[in-house]
Amino acid sequence: MATVEGRPAQYGVTLRQLRELMESRGAEGLAKINALGGPQEICKKLYTSPTDGLSGSKADMQHRREVFGSNLIPPKPPKTFLTLVWEALQDVTLIILEVAAVVSLGLSFYKPSEDEEDIAHLDEEEGHYQWIEGLAILISVIVVVIVTAFNDYTKERQFRGLQSRIEGEHKFAVVRANEVKQVPISEIVVGDICQIKYGDLLPADGILLQSNDLKIDESSLTGESDHVKKGEAFDPMVLSGTHVMEGSGKMLVTAVGVNSQAGIIFTLLGAAVDKQEKEIKQMKKEAKKQQKKGAQTQSQRKSLTGDDEGANSHGNHADNHVAPADKPAPESGHKKEKSVLQAKLTKLAIQIGYAGSTIAVLTVIILVIQFCVRTFVLDGKVWKATYINNLVKHLIIGVTVLVVAVPEGLPLAVTLSLAYSVKKMMKDNNLVRHLDACETMGNATAICSDKTGTLTTNRMTVVQSYICEKLCKVTPNYRDIPKEVAETMIEGISVNSAFTSRIMPSQDPTAPPMQVGNKTECALLGFVVGLGQSYELVRERYPEESFTRVYTFNSVRKSMSTVIPYKGGYRLYTKGASEIVLKKCAFIYGHEGRLEKFTRDMQDRLVRQVIEPMACDGLRTISVAYRDFVPGKADINQVHIDQEPNWDDEDNIVNNLTCLCVVGIEDPVRPEVPEAIRKCQKAGITVRMVTGDNVNTARSIAVKCGILKPTDDFLILEGKEFNSRIRDANGEVQQHLIDKVWPKLRVLARSSPTDKYTLVKGMIESKAFDTREVVAVTGDGTNDGPALKKADVGFAMGIAGTDVAKEASDIILTDDNFSSIVKAVMWGRNVYDSIAKFLQFQLTVNVVAVIVAFIGACAIQDSPLKAVQMLWVNLIMDTLASLALATEMPTADLLQRKPYGRTKPLISRTMMKNILGQAVYQLFIIFSLLFVGDRILNIPSGRYQEVGAEPTQHFTIIFNTFVMMTLFNEINARKIHGQRNVFEGLFTNPIFYSIWIGTALSQVIIIQFGGMAFSTAGLSVDQWLWCLFFGAGTLVWGQLVTSIPTRKIPKKLSWGRGQPDPETIQPGPDYDSDLDKKPRAGQILWIRGLTRLQTQIRVVNAFRQGLDSRGSLADAALAEALRKQTALSKRYSANASVDYGELAPPELDVERLSSHSHTETAV
């Protein structure tokens, strides 16, 4: 018989039995467990120990993975490089260019016999060169496609890396070889014993071995929003993807990965997708047949105008079937709006798309009409086949004007800037889960921060204690405390704290010991150690399994109580916020350990003389108390019982307690926080503290941080008073009442998570001021989820935060530090500015190139800038410039200005002044060179040339000057707020100057050696100096433009003021901007290839592998569920359900399921 590490290789229970076991609930589940012999017997069958767990040896783990599967759901393989190349080739404008180039290439070899006399007139050389332009365009198309595909490929890999980093952060407490270890969830196997606690997101299916007051949110599976009570005696089944809302316990893992309940559902989804994809391909074939019958014109119109609403890149009718599924069902207002910047950019790109298309079409029409009139009417020539070549040339010029007109570099600039920032922000301890959060953070006007751990160090120590009427400001001597009181207190602290909280010796002997688990509990355990006692010995005497009942800490109780068997009866220990625990105390130990009645007067005196002074020093005050239930004769502070008390009657059980001690716990303010808050205030961001602590503690910390100054006239409210001020007589929250409170509120103490949510919602929805608030919130607890989701940007704590909080957040602070939020603000503002810089640069080039091509076509029947030249300019201004301008590092002066807010125009008056000012200069120079340049520079004119003629120095100088002006204007574009010194910080960005120098050198090579391919003729040194002179002139001209006072410019010239149009802000998951939601719908041009990076849709949603919003998914509801599979998507729908008929339970909420971190890459 085969063995693994000395045990049989055959398990006593099969994979199928375990799968079936997990499909039942409640009494039915219990019956099935008992049929297998009960939880202990199942442990034996799986060769694991309920107390020691698995051995953790490699051979054992590997064998379990082979038999029961590993805790991973395999992601769909990424698209291959060739697939990405094929996709990049699908763009309609790209196809038009390819066809035109091929026709041009073909015609250059076509020499009909009747043309012989004409050809004789042509220079013998010219015939050889006619094919070069067509080939050059084809080659540039190929380059563009390969670069696009490569960009897509690397971005997808990068974002998969980010995803695996987020998943790698998720670890879970597992007992192995009698030690609790934090193990990555992918390494959990069947047979593992996991410790589960408040705030956990369960990584696998299992059965409970032991539990305390356990309540689980199963809405992700059932759609039921009520929390389900779990216990080994009545409902021991716990499932992956569900959240622990209260309590703690131990579970035996029985199903992982694709065999868990969540995994089974994902597998069904995956199968459904594959089936749908086959149907889509079939539909596309049919649609193409229909298209040939007359839908082509519509398809092109959509592609050229950037119609974002309709079909996908091919304009297929099949894709309209998916319309209802593409727009997620309106959920109860929890989905965030599309980010402000996206909405403005989408609108801008569409408008420029329309303008560009119009001018392109006009250019072609004018060129064709002029050619026809001149050739057939004025010269009276007869139609010949070779004239097709002329018409194709005109078409190529028209398409190229369109290529240059449309700023397809915009999505690239946004993506590059965000991707670059996200990478850098990781080093600044910001793990960004949703890309747009990074940019939104730059507009933040308010931050609502927690106190503990964010503003403070979260390393807590007991610094004051009040025991037996003795107040000590240092750790007291254990012998000085009456023996009975001391022993009871030590026992109470050791037993009545989560067994996951403990003090560990530090690896560095000079450093203080490590605190593991809840920091407040660690402070109390540290106090026990400081008294020279061992909490571990007490815990060995009372293991968790022996507890009768545990009332775990939650935000309503603000205390924790544990009941243990004691001398034939029971003893209840309680610890919690002083004012709450003391109200439940009827007795207290007085001088020398005498038991005294705790009267109302004594309570008031204790609060006044002990608790308030502690709180005013910024200490958190905790009281420890107990109560005995005895079967025999009861003392004054004990309760006589004949039978087991009703533990569910919590109010009566946790009452008439005996107070043992009050301790003051210090959590010092982080040294860097006051400076960070000062920076925020300077940057126009209001910081508010929202804490569960008592109002005096909160005030003290707020003053130390600099949120409050002693002289300020700001509000400090407790949760109760806050609620009484914002609710009307019926108890309903009223916006106009909130508007009276929030502007002056700085500290909200003793607040519940609901208060936090109400405040955030009230601020975001407030219209009390012209500038709407953009609110960031920090949170760490399970109950902070709603506030984190509601906020414009939610920050979760990486160290202290629960899994639930991290799931709800946009950014995870890996060091839990407030000053990291300030760095996020800086990066966010930098993203906004980078995009503005790129816009300022690109729109100048667009305006000039389009006007030059259009007027050239009208005036001299030719575009001074040839097709290949314009493609090169487009390459410079789109790809390279967006890379150069999007990678500027943030500077401290970003925090010197007020936030832009929701209503700031995208293109400010200063930017518009720069764009128009530079365009005037460039157009003046180019037209001067075009019409009189040949005379000034004493060179032959290049105007009115025949098709296929040699390139002239005249037109080469125009092209070169235009590129030089563009390059020097790129330096101007680095400043958007009217700064004079455009060179400041130039050498801090190696990417910028490397690209700039590289582009300049490429230009020299193109001019001197480009020949027929680029329609250039080599220039002399004098001519080069003229070009450089005109180029550098843009820097001087820029200084003149800066001198014009912006105030004098009419406000109408700023663009994008006010809230963007509602139709552009559709609620949608995450960062698929309308620009890119349907890949290539707004991709107005071929070179989107180069720039697209599949922009947001595939970059940000690289993990939505199976879901392609282009696909026509027959079942709209299924499509809706699949859309939600995006791993980095906001999740808050409690009820969006998907009906699979026979496949799965009818009320299956796939969205909440997908929040399961380790299954995020499922579909």
Side-chain angles (χ1 to χ4, degrees):
M1 183 176 170
T3 62
V4 177
E5 302 219 320
R7 65 164 174 82
Q10 183 77 41
Y11 294 95
V13 58
T14 63
L15 173 61
R16 184 171 177 168
Q17 280 176 305
L18 290 175
R19 263 179 79 150
E20 284 172 1
L21 175 66
M22 294 319 295
E23 279 165 14
S24 34
R25 307 273 183 283
E28 186 192 347
L30 261 179
K32 283 194 179 173
I33 290 175
N34 292 331
L36 287 169
Q40 303 295 328
E41 189 57 35
I42 295 175
C43 285
K44 280 183 190 159
K45 288 179 176 176
L46 289 170
Y47 306 116
T48 182
S49 153
T51 50
D52 297 355
L54 297 173
S55 66
S57 73
K58 276 189 181 166
D60 184 31
M61 296 290 135
Q62 193 50 42
H63 185 252
R64 286 172 191 276
R65 283 194 195 102
E66 285 162 13
V67 177
F68 297 111
S70 62
N71 201 20
L72 282 173
I73 290 178
K76 198 157 185 175
K79 290 184 176 167
T80 61
F81 186 72
L82 287 175
T83 316
L84 294 172
V85 168
W86 176 244
E87 284 187 359
L89 278 165
Q90 305 297 309
D91 203 313
V92 176
T93 32
L94 188 49
I95 291 167
I96 296 174
L97 259 188
E98 287 162 7
V99 170
V102 168
V103 171
S104 162
L105 200 60
L107 290 173
S108 66
F109 297 114
Y110 172 64
K111 298 188 173 54
S113 53
E114 71 265 23
D115 278 1
E116 274 162 12
E117 56 222 66
D118 277 344
I119 290 174
H121 298 306
L122 286 174
D123 190 318
E124 191 52 37
E125 286 288 294
E126 287 172 19
H128 298 169
Y129 286 135
Q130 283 192 336
W131 58 273
I132 290 183
E133 188 175 21
L135 185 66
I137 291 176
L138 272 184
I139 289 172
S140 59
V141 165
I142 291 165
V143 169
V144 161
V145 166
I146 288 173
V147 172
T148 306
F150 178 71
N151 275 345
D152 286 352
Y153 187 68
T154 50
K155 278 290 160 286
E156 190 154 324
R157 277 182 54 199
Q158 212 173 15
F159 279 85
R160 279 181 180 242
L162 171 66
Q163 168 65 356
S164 55
R165 162 87 194 259
I166 290 172
E167 287 179 5
E169 294 275 311
H170 192 182
K171 295 192 169 174
F172 211 78
V174 173
V175 180
R176 287 197 181 156
N178 201 15
E179 270 183 36
V180 179
K181 294 180 178 165
Q182 291 291 326
V183 175
I185 47 172
S186 55
E187 291 177 19
I188 291 175
V189 293
V190 170
D192 259 324
I193 306 294
C194 291
Q195 288 194 342
I196 58 178
K197 62 181 187 310
Y198 156 83
D200 280 345
L201 187 123
L202 298 182
D205 292 356
I207 53 179
L208 287 175
L209 300 174
Q210 176 263 322
S211 67
N212 303 318
D213 200 17
L214 195 63
K215 286 186 185 162
I216 291 196
D217 173 5
E218 290 190 344
S219 57
S220 57
L221 287 174
T222 61
E224 288 294 326
S225 53
D226 292 343
H227 299 164
V228 184
K229 283 191 81 162
K230 296 282 180 180
E232 28 319 12
F234 50 92
D235 186 358
M237 305 298 190
V238 285
L239 305 170
S240 61
T242 59
H243 293 140
V244 181
M245 301 311 277
E246 262 185 54
S248 61
K250 258 190 199 172
M251 76 168 189
L252 164 69
V253 175
T254 53
V256 293
V258 289
N259 298 308
S260 67
Q261 291 302 295
I264 292 168
I265 291 158
F266 283 127
T267 314
L268 292 175
L269 278 175
V273 174
D274 292 340
K275 187 178 163 198
Q276 294 294 347
E277 279 178 351
K278 282 175 193 162
E279 286 175 23
I280 294 161
K281 280 179 186 163
Q282 192 59 42
M283 282 173 143
K284 279 188 179 171
K285 280 177 191 166
E286 288 168 20
K288 275 181 182 162
K289 286 173 195 165
Q290 291 175 19
Q291 216 176 312
K292 285 170 190 167
K293 292 173 191 169
Q296 221 152 5
T297 49
Q298 180 195 8
S299 141
Q300 286 178 18
R301 198 191 78 244
K302 275 188 173 152
S303 300
L304 295 180
T305 55
D307 181 350
D308 279 339
E309 301 301 317
N312 80 343
S313 58
H314 318 298
N316 291 343
H317 294 169
D319 297 314
N320 295 340
H321 299 191
V322 74
D326 240 12
K327 293 189 172 55
E331 292 175 5
S332 48
H334 289 299
K335 284 278 183 202
K336 277 186 199 161
E337 292 182 335
K338 198 164 63 158
S339 87
V340 182
L341 182 66
Q342 278 169 269
K344 291 175 178 175
L345 285 177
T346 304
K347 194 170 163 187
L348 180 71
I350 291 170
Q351 289 179 341
I352 295 175
Y354 284 132
S357 315
T358 313
I359 292 177
V361 170
L362 276 176
T363 309
V364 175
I365 291 171
I366 290 169
L367 284 170
V368 170
I369 290 174
Q370 283 185 333
F371 171 74
C372 293
V373 169
R374 197 176 67 246
T375 309
F376 304 127
V377 179
L378 299 180
D379 297 354
K381 290 183 181 172
V382 188
W383 169 260
K384 293 187 188 127
T386 46
Y387 288 146
I388 294 176
N389 215 347
N390 298 62
L391 299 179
V392 170
K393 287 275 186 295
H394 299 327
L395 176 67
I396 288 179
I397 288 173
V399 175
T400 315
V401 169
L402 176 68
V403 166
V404 177
V406 181
E408 9 49 274
L410 269 182
L412 176 71
V414 175
T415 310
L416 273 178
S417 187
L418 287 170
Y420 178 74
S421 301
V422 164
K423 213 170 170 184
K424 292 284 189 184
M425 282 170 81
M426 274 194 179
K427 292 180 183 162
D428 282 342
N429 303 307
N430 284 286
L431 179 63
V432 180
R433 299 180 72 247
H434 302 114
L435 269 189
D436 55 338
C438 167
E439 166 258 310
T440 312
M441 201 52 219
N443 291 323
T445 56
I447 299 174
C448 295
S449 173
D450 274 356
K451 176 183 78 72
T452 309
T454 314
L455 300 174
T456 59
T457 58
N458 206 15
R459 182 172 179 88
M460 302 201 188
T461 43
V462 173
V463 291
Q464 294 188 24
S465 59
Y466 177 82
I467 307 169
C468 299
E469 288 188 15
K470 227 181 180 178
L471 181 64
C472 290
K473 302 223 171 177
V474 290
T475 306
N477 191 326
Y478 185 69
R479 289 193 302 279
D480 294 347
I481 309 171
K483 188 166 184 277
E484 188 192 350
V485 177
E487 283 175 359
T488 314
M489 181 177 74
I490 301 290
E491 194 171 276
I493 291 172
S494 307
V495 169
N496 186 31
S497 53
F499 278 29
T500 48
S501 301
R502 50 195 200 281
I503 307 284
M504 308 279 283
S506 174
Q507 283 147 352
D508 175 5
T510 56
M514 285 193 317
Q515 298 185 337
V516 180
N518 181 298
K519 297 298 189 269
T520 309
E521 292 182 343
C522 286
L524 292 168
L525 295 174
F527 181 59
V528 171
V529 174
L531 289 169
Q533 304 301 304
S534 166
Y535 64 88
E536 283 158 328
L537 289 174
V538 180
R539 288 182 172 181
E540 281 168 21
R541 257 200 333 270
Y542 297 104
E544 269 184 294
E545 291 76 26
S546 68
F547 294 174
T548 308
R549 183 63 186 263
V550 178
Y551 302 99
T552 47
F553 179 90
N554 63 29
S555 55
V556 179
R557 286 190 186 117
K558 294 235 186 283
S559 67
M560 171 181 178
S561 307
T562 302
V563 181
I564 57 171
Y566 185 78
K567 295 184 179 172
Y570 302 95
R571 175 171 276 183
L572 166 98
Y573 284 115
T574 295
K575 68 165 192 310
S578 310
E579 58 265 49
I580 288 168
V581 173
L582 289 179
K583 277 184 188 149
K584 296 180 177 176
C585 286
F587 305 93
I588 188 166
Y589 282 109
H591 194 53
E592 291 185 356
R594 276 199 309 275
L595 190 65
E596 296 174 7
K597 281 205 168 169
F598 193 36
T599 61
R600 175 67 57 195
D601 287 348
M602 285 171 77
Q603 274 190 32
D604 293 343
R605 196 169 71 244
L606 187 63
V607 167
R608 233 181 10 261
Q609 294 176 357
V610 178
I611 291 172
E612 280 183 3
M614 281 185 183
C616 291
D617 287 344
L619 304 185
R620 167 181 282 190
T621 58
I622 301 284
S623 295
V624 181
Y626 79 105
R627 186 185 190 189
D628 283 340
F629 300 85
V630 295
K633 183 173 180 294
D635 288 343
I636 180 172
N637 64 336
Q638 296 177 330
V639 191
H640 170 74
I641 51 163
D642 294 322
Q643 59 195 51
E644 188 167 345
N646 174 13
W647 300 120
D648 290 335
D649 182 6
E650 188 184 339
D651 290 343
N652 280 328
I653 297 288
V654 186
N655 212 335
N656 292 330
L657 308 171
T658 306
C659 177
L660 289 163
C661 67
V662 176
V663 295
I665 294 178
E666 181 183 46
D667 185 8
V669 171
R670 286 179 183 266
E672 62 276 23
V673 161
E675 174 61 16
I677 286 180
R678 209 172 50 74
K679 280 184 185 166
C680 280
Q681 289 164 342
K682 220 172 178 182
I685 301 169
T686 309
V687 181
R688 292 175 174 82
M689 187 194 331
V690 183
T691 175
D693 257 344
N694 127 358
V695 71
N696 293 316
T697 310
R699 182 188 284 111
S700 164
I701 298 285
V703 171
K704 286 179 186 171
C705 290
I707 292 175
L708 286 174
K709 294 183 182 65
T711 52
D712 285 347
D713 172 31
F714 288 129
L715 283 177
I716 302 174
L717 295 180
E718 283 199 332
K720 271 186 189 165
E721 191 183 345
F722 173 69
N723 276 301
S724 67
R725 288 194 184 201
I726 62 167
R727 293 177 191 274
D728 59 15
N730 304 326
E732 296 292 318
V733 175
Q734 294 296 336
Q735 186 64 45
H736 68 274
L737 294 173
I738 293 186
D739 287 346
K740 288 178 186 169
V741 174
W742 73 257
K744 297 200 87 174
L745 182 69
R746 288 296 176 273
V747 176
L748 184 56
R750 280 281 175 250
S751 64
S752 67
T754 319
D755 297 338
K756 193 179 200 175
Y757 176 78
T758 310
L759 174 65
V760 171
K761 183 169 180 283
M763 286 169 68
I764 289 175
E765 291 175 3
S766 169
K767 296 191 174 72
F769 301 99
D770 292 343
T771 53
R772 301 272 304 282
E773 294 289 298
V774 177
V775 184
V777 167
T778 70
D780 54 5
T782 304
N783 298 351
D784 288 329
L788 287 170
K789 279 186 185 328
K790 183 66 189 170
D792 294 290
V793 183
F795 286 91
M797 301 298 136
I799 302 167
T802 59
D803 296 340
V804 181
K806 289 177 190 173
E807 284 301 321
S809 69
D810 302 284
I811 297 178
I812 296 172
L813 292 179
T814 51
D815 64 346
D816 288 14
N817 192 337
F818 185 83
S819 58
S820 301
I821 298 177
V822 181
K823 289 177 185 158
V825 172
M826 225 155 91
W827 277 108
R829 291 187 175 189
N830 194 48
V831 167
Y832 205 98
D833 280 8
S834 296
I835 290 158
K837 288 171 190 174
F838 175 70
L839 264 178
Q840 178 176 302
F841 170 72
Q842 181 165 28
L843 291 180
T844 312
V845 189
N846 284 16
V847 169
V848 175
V850 170
I851 292 176
V852 167
F854 181 64
I855 292 183
C858 301
I860 60 163
Q861 291 79 52
D862 190 7
S863 166
L865 299 172
K866 299 292 180 280
V868 180
Q869 294 173 354
M870 284 209 263
L871 294 183
W872 165 238
V873 169
N874 205 47
L875 185 74
I876 301 176
M877 72 179 188
D878 271 355
T879 315
L880 301 176
S882 60
L883 187 62
L885 291 168
T887 51
E888 294 263 314
M889 290 293 281
T891 54
D893 59 357
L894 285 168
L895 295 176
Q896 303 296 316
R897 60 170 173 79
K898 297 281 179 274
Y900 286 145
R902 289 183 198 271
T903 50
K904 170 90 165 61
L906 182 62
I907 298 172
S908 65
R909 288 187 289 173
T910 310
M911 286 167 65
M912 195 57 92
K913 176 179 77 176
N914 293 341
I915 291 169
L916 297 176
Q918 289 293 346
V920 167
Y921 170 80
Q922 294 189 16
L923 288 169
F924 174 74
I925 297 287
I926 287 175
F927 287 129
S928 302
L929 286 173
L930 178 60
F931 295 113
V932 294
D934 49 332
R935 294 201 293 279
I936 296 172
L937 298 171
N938 199 15
I939 46 174
S941 166
R943 297 188 293 278
Y944 307 114
Q945 283 215 310
E946 287 296 316
V947 168
E950 280 276 327
T952 62
Q953 282 193 325
H954 182 193
F955 273 25
T956 303
I957 288 174
I958 293 176
F959 166 53
N960 198 24
T961 304
F962 178 50
V963 171
M964 287 300 133
M965 292 192 292
T966 299
L967 272 176
F968 281 101
N969 192 37
E970 194 172 331
I971 297 175
N972 272 335
R974 292 182 62 249
K975 303 294 174 193
I976 51 172
H977 297 298
Q979 298 99 317
R980 288 254 173 220
N981 182 3
V982 290
F983 295 102
E984 186 192 351
L986 182 68
F987 294 104
T988 58
N989 185 2
I991 297 179
F992 182 91
Y993 60 75
S994 311
I995 286 179
W996 198 91
I997 293 166
T999 316
L1001 291 175
S1002 310
Q1003 179 66 13
V1004 174
I1005 293 165
I1006 286 171
I1007 294 293
Q1008 297 306 105
F1009 309 107
M1012 282 300 287
F1014 276 94
S1015 305
T1016 58
L1019 300 181
S1020 68
V1021 175
D1022 281 3
Q1023 291 164 338
W1024 264 104
L1025 289 173
W1026 275 110
C1027 295
L1028 282 170
F1029 169 72
F1030 291 133
T1034 56
L1035 296 173
V1036 181
W1037 182 256
Q1039 294 298 314
L1040 289 174
V1041 171
T1042 304
S1043 306
I1044 302 169
T1046 305
R1047 294 189 304 279
K1048 299 271 173 70
I1049 295 171
K1051 282 198 173 176
K1052 283 180 183 165
L1053 278 178
S1054 65
W1055 192 93
R1057 178 172 291 284
Q1059 286 287 88
D1061 295 351
E1063 68 269 17
T1064 58
I1065 311 188
Q1066 295 165 350
D1070 210 24
Y1071 205 68
D1072 7 353
S1073 72
D1074 266 3
L1075 264 176
D1076 322 287
K1077 186 185 303 183
K1078 307 174 186 64
R1080 296 181 295 287
Q1083 246 157 258
I1084 330 167
L1085 4 135
W1086 71 276
I1087 198 159
R1088 166 78 106 215
L1090 186 54
T1091 57
R1092 191 171 69 247
L1093 286 186
Q1094 304 297 57
T1095 38
Q1096 275 48 15
I1097 175 110
R1098 282 239 317 293
V1099 175
V1100 182
N1101 297 338
F1103 334 111
R1104 191 189 284 178
Q1105 296 86 352
L1107 166 68
D1108 202 335
S1109 52
R1110 300 183 302 246
S1112 155
L1113 299 170
D1115 176 358
L1118 177 59
E1120 156 79 334
L1122 291 167
R1123 283 186 59 75
K1124 293 175 181 170
Q1125 281 309 103
T1126 165
L1128 299 183
S1129 167
K1130 294 310 253 172
R1131 318 183 179 88
Y1132 197 61
S1133 149
N1135 306 314
S1137 54
V1138 188
D1139 189 356
Y1140 296 96
E1142 310 286 289
L1143 293 181
E1147 284 206 283
L1148 180 69
D1149 179 352
V1150 185
E1151 181 184 16
R1152 286 291 289 277
L1153 243 175
S1154 77
S1155 70
H1156 200 354
S1157 169
H1158 63 283
T1159 46
E1160 285 181 297
T1161 49
V1163 175

